């Protein structure tokens, strides 16, 4: 029996080049290039009745979020497209992908299109290449005492997905955020100039924060009350401890988590005017995650996020 | 009804960046980078009972062949891996992929691993990035009067596949060539310094030759008797007209087809000692493919190769 963990160990034993960053980062870094690839499968990463244009948008956006987390500028994409049935789904998927490419200046320059056997779930992949003209913060550069900052809000997407689970015809801001996340490219570029560590929040803030702290050889202390929630999220689920724990573990946020040296005021960086930047905690000596709110220490939930990715 | 052709037209309307080369080349060219991606699906591009290590080798080799055809040096790869069942297949697949990466100096630096629903066919993708320090010949640069040269032999892989179709336990050189093709990286680098056009032969020599000639706005005249066949191929299928047409349309060859200016002797280039280089024809004014052998004109077969790829 080979487990997913065994496979990841095997991949790490192959990917020994420094550019791979031990397969522990959002992206590979080859000179001034930042490279990432995400693959999604029907029924695993998206729902068969999700609008295909939104699936195309999201595939581009999640890859761009990895590029954003390294402070890079989108340079090129290669698409792996499967074709099944009459192609109408794929046509709408491409419309959504093209819209995201146009919105974020990402040229599609190649890829492959293959036919699938009837009934096989679609599998869609995108490689995105970015370019950096400066620092490319790793997950592992954090130091005890660094402040943890979050760009963006959390919980919207997970709340949107729950609404869709209750009623597939649900609409609104939260559903939109689940279907069409926005990669924080400009915020990422600004934060990268000062961050000692950075990553995007895709699998749940608590899990991703534990990963950043772990990679940096630190612990982390988070203030649950400080977590930035959107007004749409608060209107739907409130802002109490349960809602905040839901938001902190829901995933699919594509917010950016940055560790900044204690003396650095991020508002001195060239952040975009609409950036929502919030201090949510601190890296600490030692290891492990600690949570608190105004009521004192908060026990960690059993599940910190989605452990579905192996690289 | 959206056809595969419609989808390709849509992809071309999105991929307008010059780096995409109109999706008409083996690879995209971004500055000094050459980028390619191939995706393969179980039951479509390989047989479910093919040894998984050979599937991993072949996925790397076919991508490297695209890099070879542009005269570039392998720089990095990103793998899209699906995990189904107990992972033993994937473990052996990775062994084969790692062997090819090691053989050709291709560092694996990232990618994604996803779970698949039970019963779904595996879909495996690889993005390969190469670097060129010189000319990157397109398919479209050929001129009437250019000589057509082929590096490598043709037909071995198709003959091997037929042997496996008759008996899945077949072994031997032809089966090996089908399962573990060798990318002609050194020959590609040498030819790229002088070629006006170049591509790898993956879908059948006649089809790929028609593509190179068409992209160059030329016709092509090929000498069937000149086509290079291996001794293993000749031992299995003979060297008559039918065998040669089978070899010229079989595909999966990963030979290199280069158009060289008439005055250029390719043996003055820095070819590797074991390169097998054969003059097979000439680019001609006009359009279309013409075949001849010692008996005179040879009618074109109905099928020139495998039309399975859309980009």
């Amino acid at each position: 029996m080979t487990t997913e963990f065994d496979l990841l160990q095997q991949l790490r034993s192959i990917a020994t080049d420094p550019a791979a960053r031990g397969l522990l980062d959002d992206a590979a870094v080859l000179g001034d290039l930042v490279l990432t690839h995400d693959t999604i499968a029907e029924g695993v990463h998206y729902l068969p009745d999700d609008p295909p244009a939104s699936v195309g948008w999201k595939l581009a956006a999640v890859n761009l979020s990895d590029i954003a987390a390294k402070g890079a500028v989108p340079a090129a994409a290669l698409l792996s497209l499967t074709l099944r049935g009459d192609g109408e789904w794929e046509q709408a998927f491409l419309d959504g992908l093209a819209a995201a490419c146009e919105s974020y200046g990402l040229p599609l320059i190649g890829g492959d299109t293959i036919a699938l056997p009837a009934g096989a779930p679609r599998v869609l992949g995108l490689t995105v290449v970015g370019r950096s003209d400066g620092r490319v913060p790793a997950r592992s550069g954090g130091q005890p005492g660094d402040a943890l900052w979050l760009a963006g809000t959390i919980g919207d997407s997970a709340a949107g997905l729950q609404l869709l689970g209750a009623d597939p015809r649900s609409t609104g801001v939260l559903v939109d955020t689940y279907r069409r996340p926005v990669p924080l490219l400009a915020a990422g570029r600004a934060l990268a100039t000062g961050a000692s560590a950075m990553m995007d929040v895709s699998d749940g803030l608590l899990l991703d924060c534990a990963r950043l702290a772990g990679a940096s050889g630190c612990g982390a202390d988070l203030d649950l009350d400080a977590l930035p929630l959107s007004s749409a999220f608060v209107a739907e689920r409130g802002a109490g401890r349960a809602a905040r724990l839901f938001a902190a573990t829901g995933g699919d946020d594509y917010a950016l988590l940055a560790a900044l040296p204690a003396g650095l005021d991020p508002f001195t960086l060239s952040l975009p005017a609409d950036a929502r930047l919030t201090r949510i905690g601190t890296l600490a000596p030692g290891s492990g995650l600690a949570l608190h709110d105004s009521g004192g220490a908060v026990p960690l939930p059993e599940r910190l996020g989605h452990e579905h990715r192996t690289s």
Side-chain angles (χ1 to χ4, degrees), chain A residues 139 199 203 207-216 306-307 309:
Chain A
R139 290 186 184 180
M199 68 184 295
D203 294 343
L207 180 58
D208 287 330
C209 190
R211 286 170 173 163
L212 184 144
S216 298
H306 300 280
E307 296 268 14
R309 294 196 179 274

Side-chain angles (χ1 to χ4, degrees), chain A residues 135 137-143 146 191-192 194-198 216 258-261 283:
Chain A
R135 300 180 65 243
R139 290 186 184 180
S140 57
Q143 300 285 337
D146 282 354
L191 290 168
S196 46
M198 186 154 63
S216 298
L260 300 183
L283 286 181

Side-chain angles (χ1 to χ4, degrees), chain A residues 40-48 50 55 89 121-124 178:
Chain A
I40 55 176
E42 184 181 353
V44 180
H45 303 86
Y46 68 93
L47 309 171
D50 275 337
V55 178
W89 190 96
R122 294 183 173 92
V123 176
L124 306 150
Y178 165 71

Side-chain angles (χ1 to χ4, degrees), chain A residues 148-217:
Chain A
L148 289 169
W149 291 83
L150 195 80
T153 60
I154 57 168
D156 304 278
S157 180
L161 181 60
Q162 280 218 344
L163 289 173
L164 286 170
D167 177 358
R169 291 159 307 173
S170 299
T171 56
V173 173
L174 299 173
V175 168
D176 283 354
T177 304
Y178 165 71
R179 288 194 169 145
R180 295 188 178 255
V182 170
L184 302 178
L185 287 157
R189 281 202 297 281
L191 290 168
T193 61
S196 46
M198 186 154 63
M199 68 184 295
D200 83 324
V201 178
S202 55
D203 294 343
L205 174 64
L206 296 190
L207 180 58
D208 287 330
C209 190
R211 286 170 173 163
L212 184 144
S216 298

